[in-house]
Amino acid sequence: MSFFKTNDGVSLNYHVYGDSNNQAVILIEGYSSSEVTWILQIQSFIKEGFYVVTYDHRLHGKSEKVDFGLSIQRLALDLKELLDYLDIEKPIFIGHSMGSTTILAFEQMFTDGDLLAVISEDQSPTFLKTEGWLGGSGKVLAELSQFMDDFPKTHLTKKPLDPKLKRVLGKGMLPFDFNAGRPLLRNVITQDWRSVLKYETVPHLFLAGSESPVFPPEHAAAALALNKNKKSEAYMFEGCGHIPHLESPEEFDTVVIRFINKLGYRRK
């Protein structure tokens, strides 16, 4: 287990896998999750010649439990500091759910000039109900409080997980304090990242689960339409809920690796 300390004194848990001379892929967890959920991707990506980094956000997993810095912009700064600490240049970001908004906040704060590509998994750029977005299927501000109340009880997956995987997750996942995390969730779901996507320059793969209990599956294609890079793509995991990388791990790895390799970024 390795830790590094942020500039506001928070110890964050991280792990690195593979050859650091190869192309870096940073796996960024979602809200209330843990780096453990990427267990099935690590070996696949190492086999393809990537240098893999996983870590836990503040308050998450084995990172320090704090009651400050609970905003998506602070998480983006934590990510930037981790890259600097590990001396990583031109990474590929793969974010699940809130991990995807961490990436968009990173681009907003630091631009995407030092990134090679972005992959976001089942995360709409906005939760909010606005004209011209997904037929008005989002939520008004008054409904977001109920969403936060319901989230800890929401079953995020639709496909059954492999029993061996469930045992690994059961051993590795630590309980999450949803009361402590509520300010972070509130910060995440009240922001709109569509303007960031309009000015994004790197290739972006938008992934969605067709049976996601969090977002309408059309969000991936709608987000793709905002991105101007001709190499960007969208992909739907049929029958999956909110976590395709656990529900259909082989399909997930194949889709992601194929996208990256098409870009010619497999190795440095």
PDB file of all heavy atoms in Angstrom, residues 22-24 50 89-93 107 112-119 201-204 229 231 259-260 263-268:
ATOM      1  N   ASN A  22       5.892   2.708 -20.082  1.00  0.00           N
ATOM      2  CA  ASN A  22       4.794   2.541 -21.034  1.00  0.00           C
ATOM      3  C   ASN A  22       3.740   3.638 -20.853  1.00  0.00           C
ATOM      4  O   ASN A  22       3.779   4.417 -19.896  1.00  0.00           O
ATOM      5  CB  ASN A  22       4.160   1.165 -20.868  1.00  0.00           C
ATOM      6  CG  ASN A  22       5.071   0.049 -21.339  1.00  0.00           C
ATOM      7  OD1 ASN A  22       6.067   0.289 -22.029  1.00  0.00           O
ATOM      8  ND2 ASN A  22       4.738  -1.173 -20.967  1.00  0.00           N
ATOM      9  N   GLN A  23       2.813   3.672 -21.777  1.00  0.00           N
ATOM     10  CA  GLN A  23       1.731   4.648 -21.741  1.00  0.00           C
ATOM     11  C   GLN A  23       0.927   4.508 -20.453  1.00  0.00           C
ATOM     12  O   GLN A  23       0.447   3.421 -20.124  1.00  0.00           O
ATOM     13  CB  GLN A  23       0.816   4.474 -22.943  1.00  0.00           C
ATOM     14  CG  GLN A  23      -0.448   5.317 -22.913  1.00  0.00           C
ATOM     15  CD  GLN A  23      -0.145   6.796 -22.898  1.00  0.00           C
ATOM     16  OE1 GLN A  23       0.578   7.284 -23.754  1.00  0.00           O
ATOM     17  NE2 GLN A  23      -0.686   7.519 -21.930  1.00  0.00           N
ATOM     18  N   ALA A  24       0.763   5.609 -19.725  1.00  0.00           N
ATOM     19  CA  ALA A  24       0.031   5.597 -18.454  1.00  0.00           C
ATOM     20  C   ALA A  24      -1.475   5.660 -18.675  1.00  0.00           C
ATOM     21  O   ALA A  24      -1.966   6.476 -19.468  1.00  0.00           O
ATOM     22  CB  ALA A  24       0.483   6.759 -17.577  1.00  0.00           C
ATOM     23  N   PHE A  50       0.299  -1.318 -20.945  1.00  0.00           N
ATOM     24  CA  PHE A  50       0.047  -0.041 -20.294  1.00  0.00           C
ATOM     25  C   PHE A  50       0.647  -0.004 -18.893  1.00  0.00           C
ATOM     26  O   PHE A  50       0.823  -1.040 -18.242  1.00  0.00           O
ATOM     27  CB  PHE A  50      -1.454   0.229 -20.191  1.00  0.00           C
ATOM     28  CG  PHE A  50      -2.146   0.390 -21.511  1.00  0.00           C
ATOM     29  CD1 PHE A  50      -3.110  -0.523 -21.912  1.00  0.00           C
ATOM     30  CD2 PHE A  50      -1.833   1.436 -22.354  1.00  0.00           C
ATOM     31  CE1 PHE A  50      -3.751  -0.385 -23.132  1.00  0.00           C
ATOM     32  CE2 PHE A  50      -2.472   1.589 -23.577  1.00  0.00           C
ATOM     33  CZ  PHE A  50      -3.426   0.675 -23.968  1.00  0.00           C
ATOM     34  N   GLU A  89       3.318  12.039 -17.561  1.00  0.00           N
ATOM     35  CA  GLU A  89       2.968  12.983 -18.609  1.00  0.00           C
ATOM     36  C   GLU A  89       2.092  12.297 -19.646  1.00  0.00           C
ATOM     37  O   GLU A  89       2.224  11.104 -19.885  1.00  0.00           O
ATOM     38  CB  GLU A  89       4.233  13.534 -19.277  1.00  0.00           C
ATOM     39  CG  GLU A  89       5.138  14.321 -18.340  1.00  0.00           C
ATOM     40  CD  GLU A  89       6.390  14.815 -19.036  1.00  0.00           C
ATOM     41  OE1 GLU A  89       6.617  14.435 -20.208  1.00  0.00           O
ATOM     42  OE2 GLU A  89       7.138  15.592 -18.405  1.00  0.00           O
ATOM     43  N   LYS A  90       1.202  13.045 -20.240  1.00  0.00           N
ATOM     44  CA  LYS A  90       0.328  12.575 -21.314  1.00  0.00           C
ATOM     45  C   LYS A  90      -0.424  11.283 -20.959  1.00  0.00           C
ATOM     46  O   LYS A  90      -0.376  10.290 -21.688  1.00  0.00           O
ATOM     47  CB  LYS A  90       1.134  12.365 -22.592  1.00  0.00           C
ATOM     48  CG  LYS A  90       1.724  13.634 -23.177  1.00  0.00           C
ATOM     49  CD  LYS A  90       0.628  14.553 -23.720  1.00  0.00           C
ATOM     50  CE  LYS A  90       1.221  15.806 -24.350  1.00  0.00           C
ATOM     51  NZ  LYS A  90       0.146  16.711 -24.864  1.00  0.00           N
ATOM     52  N   PRO A  91      -1.147  11.268 -19.862  1.00  0.00           N
ATOM     53  CA  PRO A  91      -1.890  10.053 -19.492  1.00  0.00           C
ATOM     54  C   PRO A  91      -3.176   9.907 -20.296  1.00  0.00           C
ATOM     55  O   PRO A  91      -3.657  10.845 -20.952  1.00  0.00           O
ATOM     56  CB  PRO A  91      -2.210  10.294 -18.022  1.00  0.00           C
ATOM     57  CG  PRO A  91      -2.389  11.773 -17.950  1.00  0.00           C
ATOM     58  CD  PRO A  91      -1.342  12.344 -18.871  1.00  0.00           C
ATOM     59  N   ILE A  92      -3.740   8.718 -20.219  1.00  0.00           N
ATOM     60  CA  ILE A  92      -5.104   8.452 -20.654  1.00  0.00           C
ATOM     61  C   ILE A  92      -5.941   8.298 -19.395  1.00  0.00           C
ATOM     62  O   ILE A  92      -5.589   7.514 -18.505  1.00  0.00           O
ATOM     63  CB  ILE A  92      -5.176   7.175 -21.510  1.00  0.00           C
ATOM     64  CG1 ILE A  92      -4.399   7.360 -22.814  1.00  0.00           C
ATOM     65  CG2 ILE A  92      -6.630   6.800 -21.800  1.00  0.00           C
ATOM     66  CD1 ILE A  92      -4.194   6.078 -23.590  1.00  0.00           C
ATOM     67  N   PHE A  93      -7.030   9.034 -19.294  1.00  0.00           N
ATOM     68  CA  PHE A  93      -7.914   8.973 -18.136  1.00  0.00           C
ATOM     69  C   PHE A  93      -9.103   8.062 -18.438  1.00  0.00           C
ATOM     70  O   PHE A  93      -9.754   8.195 -19.487  1.00  0.00           O
ATOM     71  CB  PHE A  93      -8.462  10.350 -17.786  1.00  0.00           C
ATOM     72  CG  PHE A  93      -7.490  11.273 -17.088  1.00  0.00           C
ATOM     73  CD1 PHE A  93      -7.750  12.643 -17.045  1.00  0.00           C
ATOM     74  CD2 PHE A  93      -6.348  10.799 -16.478  1.00  0.00           C
ATOM     75  CE1 PHE A  93      -6.882  13.508 -16.394  1.00  0.00           C
ATOM     76  CE2 PHE A  93      -5.473  11.649 -15.830  1.00  0.00           C
ATOM     77  CZ  PHE A  93      -5.736  13.010 -15.780  1.00  0.00           C
ATOM     78  N   GLU A 107     -10.062  19.043 -16.768  1.00  0.00           N
ATOM     79  CA  GLU A 107      -9.937  19.767 -18.046  1.00  0.00           C
ATOM     80  C   GLU A 107     -10.319  21.232 -17.894  1.00  0.00           C
ATOM     81  O   GLU A 107      -9.688  22.112 -18.505  1.00  0.00           O
ATOM     82  CB  GLU A 107     -10.818  19.094 -19.097  1.00  0.00           C
ATOM     83  CG  GLU A 107     -10.346  17.707 -19.497  1.00  0.00           C
ATOM     84  CD  GLU A 107     -11.216  17.075 -20.552  1.00  0.00           C
ATOM     85  OE1 GLU A 107     -12.429  17.386 -20.613  1.00  0.00           O
ATOM     86  OE2 GLU A 107     -10.685  16.269 -21.324  1.00  0.00           O
ATOM     87  N   ASP A 112      -7.094  20.220 -21.456  1.00  0.00           N
ATOM     88  CA  ASP A 112      -6.790  18.837 -21.811  1.00  0.00           C
ATOM     89  C   ASP A 112      -5.497  18.732 -22.613  1.00  0.00           C
ATOM     90  O   ASP A 112      -5.224  17.701 -23.232  1.00  0.00           O
ATOM     91  CB  ASP A 112      -7.950  18.197 -22.580  1.00  0.00           C
ATOM     92  CG  ASP A 112      -8.270  18.916 -23.887  1.00  0.00           C
ATOM     93  OD1 ASP A 112      -7.499  19.807 -24.283  1.00  0.00           O
ATOM     94  OD2 ASP A 112      -9.288  18.586 -24.513  1.00  0.00           O
ATOM     95  N   GLY A 113      -4.690  19.780 -22.574  1.00  0.00           N
ATOM     96  CA  GLY A 113      -3.471  19.831 -23.373  1.00  0.00           C
ATOM     97  C   GLY A 113      -2.450  18.762 -23.042  1.00  0.00           C
ATOM     98  O   GLY A 113      -1.634  18.397 -23.905  1.00  0.00           O
ATOM     99  N   ASP A 114      -2.470  18.255 -21.815  1.00  0.00           N
ATOM    100  CA  ASP A 114      -1.495  17.241 -21.413  1.00  0.00           C
ATOM    101  C   ASP A 114      -2.097  15.841 -21.365  1.00  0.00           C
ATOM    102  O   ASP A 114      -1.500  14.920 -20.803  1.00  0.00           O
ATOM    103  CB  ASP A 114      -0.905  17.595 -20.040  1.00  0.00           C
ATOM    104  CG  ASP A 114       0.033  18.787 -20.117  1.00  0.00           C
ATOM    105  OD1 ASP A 114       0.679  18.964 -21.162  1.00  0.00           O
ATOM    106  OD2 ASP A 114       0.106  19.538 -19.133  1.00  0.00           O
ATOM    107  N   LEU A 115      -3.291  15.669 -21.946  1.00  0.00           N
ATOM    108  CA  LEU A 115      -3.928  14.352 -21.983  1.00  0.00           C
ATOM    109  C   LEU A 115      -3.844  13.764 -23.387  1.00  0.00           C
ATOM    110  O   LEU A 115      -3.780  14.497 -24.379  1.00  0.00           O
ATOM    111  CB  LEU A 115      -5.396  14.454 -21.572  1.00  0.00           C
ATOM    112  CG  LEU A 115      -5.703  15.103 -20.218  1.00  0.00           C
ATOM    113  CD1 LEU A 115      -7.208  15.098 -19.972  1.00  0.00           C
ATOM    114  CD2 LEU A 115      -4.964  14.398 -19.093  1.00  0.00           C
ATOM    115  N   LEU A 116      -3.866  12.434 -23.469  1.00  0.00           N
ATOM    116  CA  LEU A 116      -3.915  11.780 -24.770  1.00  0.00           C
ATOM    117  C   LEU A 116      -5.335  11.369 -25.144  1.00  0.00           C
ATOM    118  O   LEU A 116      -5.716  11.417 -26.309  1.00  0.00           O
ATOM    119  CB  LEU A 116      -3.002  10.553 -24.783  1.00  0.00           C
ATOM    120  CG  LEU A 116      -1.508  10.848 -24.858  1.00  0.00           C
ATOM    121  CD1 LEU A 116      -0.710   9.556 -24.947  1.00  0.00           C
ATOM    122  CD2 LEU A 116      -1.193  11.736 -26.057  1.00  0.00           C
ATOM    123  N   ALA A 117      -6.123  10.960 -24.179  1.00  0.00           N
ATOM    124  CA  ALA A 117      -7.493  10.551 -24.455  1.00  0.00           C
ATOM    125  C   ALA A 117      -8.259  10.455 -23.146  1.00  0.00           C
ATOM    126  O   ALA A 117      -7.664  10.377 -22.061  1.00  0.00           O
ATOM    127  CB  ALA A 117      -7.533   9.209 -25.186  1.00  0.00           C
ATOM    128  N   VAL A 118      -9.588  10.456 -23.257  1.00  0.00           N
ATOM    129  CA  VAL A 118     -10.482  10.363 -22.104  1.00  0.00           C
ATOM    130  C   VAL A 118     -11.528   9.293 -22.387  1.00  0.00           C
ATOM    131  O   VAL A 118     -12.058   9.203 -23.500  1.00  0.00           O
ATOM    132  CB  VAL A 118     -11.172  11.713 -21.833  1.00  0.00           C
ATOM    133  CG1 VAL A 118     -12.289  11.562 -20.812  1.00  0.00           C
ATOM    134  CG2 VAL A 118     -10.162  12.748 -21.363  1.00  0.00           C
ATOM    135  N   ILE A 119     -11.824   8.502 -21.374  1.00  0.00           N
ATOM    136  CA  ILE A 119     -12.885   7.495 -21.464  1.00  0.00           C
ATOM    137  C   ILE A 119     -13.771   7.680 -20.245  1.00  0.00           C
ATOM    138  O   ILE A 119     -13.294   7.636 -19.107  1.00  0.00           O
ATOM    139  CB  ILE A 119     -12.297   6.078 -21.510  1.00  0.00           C
ATOM    140  CG1 ILE A 119     -11.430   5.916 -22.766  1.00  0.00           C
ATOM    141  CG2 ILE A 119     -13.411   5.032 -21.476  1.00  0.00           C
ATOM    142  CD1 ILE A 119     -10.488   4.750 -22.717  1.00  0.00           C
ATOM    143  N   THR A 201     -10.576  18.867 -26.780  1.00  0.00           N
ATOM    144  CA  THR A 201      -9.865  18.635 -28.037  1.00  0.00           C
ATOM    145  C   THR A 201      -9.382  17.194 -28.199  1.00  0.00           C
ATOM    146  O   THR A 201      -9.073  16.771 -29.310  1.00  0.00           O
ATOM    147  CB  THR A 201      -8.643  19.572 -28.164  1.00  0.00           C
ATOM    148  OG1 THR A 201      -7.706  19.276 -27.123  1.00  0.00           O
ATOM    149  CG2 THR A 201      -9.072  21.027 -28.065  1.00  0.00           C
ATOM    150  N   VAL A 202      -9.289  16.432 -27.118  1.00  0.00           N
ATOM    151  CA  VAL A 202      -8.743  15.069 -27.198  1.00  0.00           C
ATOM    152  C   VAL A 202      -9.838  14.072 -27.553  1.00  0.00           C
ATOM    153  O   VAL A 202     -11.029  14.328 -27.327  1.00  0.00           O
ATOM    154  CB  VAL A 202      -8.069  14.659 -25.872  1.00  0.00           C
ATOM    155  CG1 VAL A 202      -6.872  15.548 -25.588  1.00  0.00           C
ATOM    156  CG2 VAL A 202      -9.062  14.686 -24.717  1.00  0.00           C
ATOM    157  N   PRO A 203      -9.465  12.901 -28.086  1.00  0.00           N
ATOM    158  CA  PRO A 203     -10.455  11.858 -28.348  1.00  0.00           C
ATOM    159  C   PRO A 203     -11.113  11.393 -27.050  1.00  0.00           C
ATOM    160  O   PRO A 203     -10.451  11.227 -26.033  1.00  0.00           O
ATOM    161  CB  PRO A 203      -9.626  10.729 -28.969  1.00  0.00           C
ATOM    162  CG  PRO A 203      -8.406  11.394 -29.507  1.00  0.00           C
ATOM    163  CD  PRO A 203      -8.123  12.519 -28.561  1.00  0.00           C
ATOM    164  N   HIS A 204     -12.420  11.183 -27.108  1.00  0.00           N
ATOM    165  CA  HIS A 204     -13.196  10.843 -25.913  1.00  0.00           C
ATOM    166  C   HIS A 204     -14.124   9.684 -26.256  1.00  0.00           C
ATOM    167  O   HIS A 204     -14.900   9.754 -27.209  1.00  0.00           O
ATOM    168  CB  HIS A 204     -14.000  12.059 -25.455  1.00  0.00           C
ATOM    169  CG  HIS A 204     -14.587  11.951 -24.094  1.00  0.00           C
ATOM    170  ND1 HIS A 204     -14.662  13.033 -23.224  1.00  0.00           N
ATOM    171  CD2 HIS A 204     -15.150  10.911 -23.426  1.00  0.00           C
ATOM    172  CE1 HIS A 204     -15.233  12.651 -22.100  1.00  0.00           C
ATOM    173  NE2 HIS A 204     -15.544  11.366 -22.204  1.00  0.00           N
ATOM    174  N   ASN A 229     -13.891  16.269 -31.558  1.00  0.00           N
ATOM    175  CA  ASN A 229     -12.814  15.428 -32.065  1.00  0.00           C
ATOM    176  C   ASN A 229     -13.394  14.302 -32.922  1.00  0.00           C
ATOM    177  O   ASN A 229     -14.256  13.551 -32.467  1.00  0.00           O
ATOM    178  CB  ASN A 229     -11.998  14.850 -30.906  1.00  0.00           C
ATOM    179  CG  ASN A 229     -10.703  14.210 -31.367  1.00  0.00           C
ATOM    180  OD1 ASN A 229     -10.707  13.223 -32.088  1.00  0.00           O
ATOM    181  ND2 ASN A 229      -9.576  14.781 -30.946  1.00  0.00           N
ATOM    182  N   LYS A 231     -12.224  11.549 -33.755  1.00  0.00           N
ATOM    183  CA  LYS A 231     -11.884  10.200 -33.303  1.00  0.00           C
ATOM    184  C   LYS A 231     -12.691   9.775 -32.079  1.00  0.00           C
ATOM    185  O   LYS A 231     -12.553   8.642 -31.624  1.00  0.00           O
ATOM    186  CB  LYS A 231     -10.393  10.119 -32.985  1.00  0.00           C
ATOM    187  CG  LYS A 231      -9.495  10.319 -34.210  1.00  0.00           C
ATOM    188  CD  LYS A 231      -8.027  10.194 -33.853  1.00  0.00           C
ATOM    189  CE  LYS A 231      -7.150  10.366 -35.085  1.00  0.00           C
ATOM    190  NZ  LYS A 231      -5.703  10.250 -34.749  1.00  0.00           N
ATOM    191  N   PHE A 259     -10.380   1.018 -28.608  1.00  0.00           N
ATOM    192  CA  PHE A 259     -10.444   2.468 -28.830  1.00  0.00           C
ATOM    193  C   PHE A 259      -9.064   3.100 -28.689  1.00  0.00           C
ATOM    194  O   PHE A 259      -8.627   3.870 -29.553  1.00  0.00           O
ATOM    195  CB  PHE A 259     -11.419   3.095 -27.836  1.00  0.00           C
ATOM    196  CG  PHE A 259     -11.458   4.602 -27.865  1.00  0.00           C
ATOM    197  CD1 PHE A 259     -12.084   5.278 -28.896  1.00  0.00           C
ATOM    198  CD2 PHE A 259     -10.860   5.342 -26.846  1.00  0.00           C
ATOM    199  CE1 PHE A 259     -12.122   6.670 -28.920  1.00  0.00           C
ATOM    200  CE2 PHE A 259     -10.894   6.724 -26.859  1.00  0.00           C
ATOM    201  CZ  PHE A 259     -11.533   7.392 -27.895  1.00  0.00           C
ATOM    202  N   ILE A 260      -8.352   2.753 -27.630  1.00  0.00           N
ATOM    203  CA  ILE A 260      -7.028   3.330 -27.405  1.00  0.00           C
ATOM    204  C   ILE A 260      -6.058   2.918 -28.508  1.00  0.00           C
ATOM    205  O   ILE A 260      -5.317   3.755 -29.049  1.00  0.00           O
ATOM    206  CB  ILE A 260      -6.482   2.916 -26.029  1.00  0.00           C
ATOM    207  CG1 ILE A 260      -7.353   3.503 -24.913  1.00  0.00           C
ATOM    208  CG2 ILE A 260      -5.033   3.393 -25.862  1.00  0.00           C
ATOM    209  CD1 ILE A 260      -6.977   3.016 -23.522  1.00  0.00           C
ATOM    210  N   LEU A 263      -6.163   4.739 -31.701  1.00  0.00           N
ATOM    211  CA  LEU A 263      -5.567   6.069 -31.647  1.00  0.00           C
ATOM    212  C   LEU A 263      -4.052   6.038 -31.749  1.00  0.00           C
ATOM    213  O   LEU A 263      -3.416   7.080 -31.869  1.00  0.00           O
ATOM    214  CB  LEU A 263      -5.987   6.774 -30.348  1.00  0.00           C
ATOM    215  CG  LEU A 263      -7.492   6.932 -30.129  1.00  0.00           C
ATOM    216  CD1 LEU A 263      -7.758   7.515 -28.751  1.00  0.00           C
ATOM    217  CD2 LEU A 263      -8.108   7.800 -31.205  1.00  0.00           C
ATOM    218  N   GLY A 264      -3.486   4.841 -31.646  1.00  0.00           N
ATOM    219  CA  GLY A 264      -2.027   4.721 -31.722  1.00  0.00           C
ATOM    220  C   GLY A 264      -1.305   5.088 -30.460  1.00  0.00           C
ATOM    221  O   GLY A 264      -0.131   5.414 -30.475  1.00  0.00           O
ATOM    222  N   TYR A 265      -2.011   4.993 -29.320  1.00  0.00           N
ATOM    223  CA  TYR A 265      -1.430   5.448 -28.052  1.00  0.00           C
ATOM    224  C   TYR A 265      -1.063   4.287 -27.132  1.00  0.00           C
ATOM    225  O   TYR A 265      -0.879   4.478 -25.942  1.00  0.00           O
ATOM    226  CB  TYR A 265      -2.433   6.338 -27.308  1.00  0.00           C
ATOM    227  CG  TYR A 265      -2.733   7.646 -27.997  1.00  0.00           C
ATOM    228  CD1 TYR A 265      -3.957   8.262 -27.827  1.00  0.00           C
ATOM    229  CD2 TYR A 265      -1.796   8.262 -28.811  1.00  0.00           C
ATOM    230  CE1 TYR A 265      -4.253   9.471 -28.443  1.00  0.00           C
ATOM    231  CE2 TYR A 265      -2.081   9.446 -29.428  1.00  0.00           C
ATOM    232  CZ  TYR A 265      -3.311  10.050 -29.250  1.00  0.00           C
ATOM    233  OH  TYR A 265      -3.579  11.235 -29.854  1.00  0.00           O
ATOM    234  N   ARG A 266      -0.955   3.106 -27.653  1.00  0.00           N
ATOM    235  CA  ARG A 266      -0.752   1.972 -26.768  1.00  0.00           C
ATOM    236  C   ARG A 266       0.544   2.049 -25.993  1.00  0.00           C
ATOM    237  O   ARG A 266       0.623   1.678 -24.846  1.00  0.00           O
ATOM    238  CB  ARG A 266      -0.787   0.664 -27.558  1.00  0.00           C
ATOM    239  CG  ARG A 266      -0.908  -0.539 -26.657  1.00  0.00           C
ATOM    240  CD  ARG A 266      -1.094  -1.813 -27.439  1.00  0.00           C
ATOM    241  NE  ARG A 266       0.140  -2.235 -28.076  1.00  0.00           N
ATOM    242  CZ  ARG A 266       0.419  -3.499 -28.340  1.00  0.00           C
ATOM    243  NH1 ARG A 266      -0.421  -4.443 -28.041  1.00  0.00           N
ATOM    244  NH2 ARG A 266       1.541  -3.831 -28.932  1.00  0.00           N
ATOM    245  N   ARG A 267       1.614   2.518 -26.627  1.00  0.00           N
ATOM    246  CA  ARG A 267       2.910   2.606 -25.962  1.00  0.00           C
ATOM    247  C   ARG A 267       3.513   3.982 -26.174  1.00  0.00           C
ATOM    248  O   ARG A 267       3.236   4.648 -27.161  1.00  0.00           O
ATOM    249  CB  ARG A 267       3.876   1.544 -26.506  1.00  0.00           C
ATOM    250  CG  ARG A 267       3.416   0.120 -26.302  1.00  0.00           C
ATOM    251  CD  ARG A 267       4.405  -0.856 -26.913  1.00  0.00           C
ATOM    252  NE  ARG A 267       3.911  -2.211 -26.885  1.00  0.00           N
ATOM    253  CZ  ARG A 267       4.012  -3.023 -25.850  1.00  0.00           C
ATOM    254  NH1 ARG A 267       4.613  -2.605 -24.746  1.00  0.00           N
ATOM    255  NH2 ARG A 267       3.531  -4.251 -25.885  1.00  0.00           N
ATOM    256  N   LYS A 268       4.388   4.369 -25.248  1.00  0.00           N
ATOM    257  CA  LYS A 268       5.113   5.610 -25.422  1.00  0.00           C
ATOM    258  C   LYS A 268       6.164   5.443 -26.502  1.00  0.00           C
ATOM    259  O   LYS A 268       6.686   4.364 -26.702  1.00  0.00           O
ATOM    260  CB  LYS A 268       5.776   6.036 -24.121  1.00  0.00           C
ATOM    261  CG  LYS A 268       4.792   6.535 -23.080  1.00  0.00           C
ATOM    262  CD  LYS A 268       5.541   7.081 -21.874  1.00  0.00           C
ATOM    263  CE  LYS A 268       4.548   7.619 -20.851  1.00  0.00           C
ATOM    264  NZ  LYS A 268       5.224   8.157 -19.665  1.00  0.00           N
TER     265      LYS A 268
END
